[in-house]
Amino acid sequence: EHFLATPPLVNVCFHKPSYSCFLSMVKKARSRSPARQRQINKKRAATLEDQKKKILADRPKLKKGISLEDIQNNYWRDEVVEVLKQNGIPSNAKKSVLNQRLYDFLTSGQKPAPKAPKKKKAAAKKKKSKKAKDAKK
C-alpha cells in the first residue's frame, strides 16, 4: 500500500507505488460531471471567440502601405492563400513565399509573370528508345 498526504484520494492500487498510479488516483479525484464540463467548455469557447475578435480588429488591413512583417505576423497562411487566389496569383508555396507574393502584389499592383512550362529531358527519350529496340529483338 502507498500512503498520500491528501485524504480525498482513494487508494485503489495494492502493488508497488508508481507515478502513473498516483496520476490515476489524482485524475479520479478531480473528475467532473459532464454537465460541469459542458459549462467549462462554453466559457472557454466564449473566451476564445472574444480573443479572436480582438486579434482580428487590432491587426492592420491589407492595403498598399502594409509592411511584409505585418503580413507575416498578423495573417494566417489560409487567409493569404485566399487573397492570392482571388487575385489570380499562384498560391502553392510556403508561407514566407506567399507573404512575399502578396507584399509584391500590394506594393506594385502587378501580378507575377507565369513561369514557362518545363521541357522534357532528352535522356528520358533515349532510354525509352533503347527499351523499344531491346523489345523488338
Side-chain angles (χ1 to χ4, degrees):
E1 294 184 11
H2 33 300
F3 301 97
L4 299 171
T6 56
L9 296 177
V10 178
N11 188 0
V12 292
C13 299
F14 299 101
H15 54 80
K16 187 175 179 181
S18 66
Y19 186 67
S20 61
C21 177
F22 172 75
L23 290 179
S24 68
M25 289 188 298
V26 169
K27 185 176 179 182
K28 288 178 185 177
R30 293 183 180 171
S31 63
R32 297 183 180 108
S33 68
R36 176 68 181 136
Q37 190 61 44
R38 281 192 297 272
Q39 289 175 344
I40 292 170
N41 290 343
K42 283 182 183 178
K43 286 182 182 177
R44 285 182 186 160
T47 305
L48 290 174
E49 285 297 320
D50 292 342
Q51 288 175 351
K52 186 175 180 180
K53 286 178 185 176
K54 184 177 179 184
I55 289 170
L56 294 177
D58 291 345
R59 68 182 181 179
K61 303 289 181 193
L62 282 175
K63 56 184 180 181
K64 192 170 186 175
I66 194 168
S67 69
L68 182 59
E69 289 180 11
D70 286 339
I71 295 172
Q72 290 173 348
N73 295 333
N74 296 306
Y75 287 90
W76 291 289
R77 183 182 185 276
D78 295 340
E79 294 173 322
V80 174
V81 167
E82 185 179 327
V83 172
L84 291 174
K85 282 184 179 180
Q86 288 173 356
N87 292 297
I89 300 171
S91 59
N92 53 347
K94 293 189 289 184
K95 185 182 177 192
S96 58
V97 175
L98 296 175
N99 290 338
Q100 186 64 47
R101 287 179 188 169
L102 182 60
Y103 176 73
D104 292 341
F105 175 71
L106 291 174
T107 55
S108 67
Q110 297 177 354
K111 297 178 184 178
K115 292 183 179 180
K118 293 182 181 180
K119 295 181 180 179
K120 293 182 180 179
K121 295 181 181 179
K125 290 181 182 178
K126 290 180 183 178
K127 288 181 183 178
K128 288 181 182 177
S129 63
K130 287 182 182 178
K131 288 181 181 178
K133 287 179 184 178
D134 292 338
K136 289 181 181 178
K137 292 180 181 180

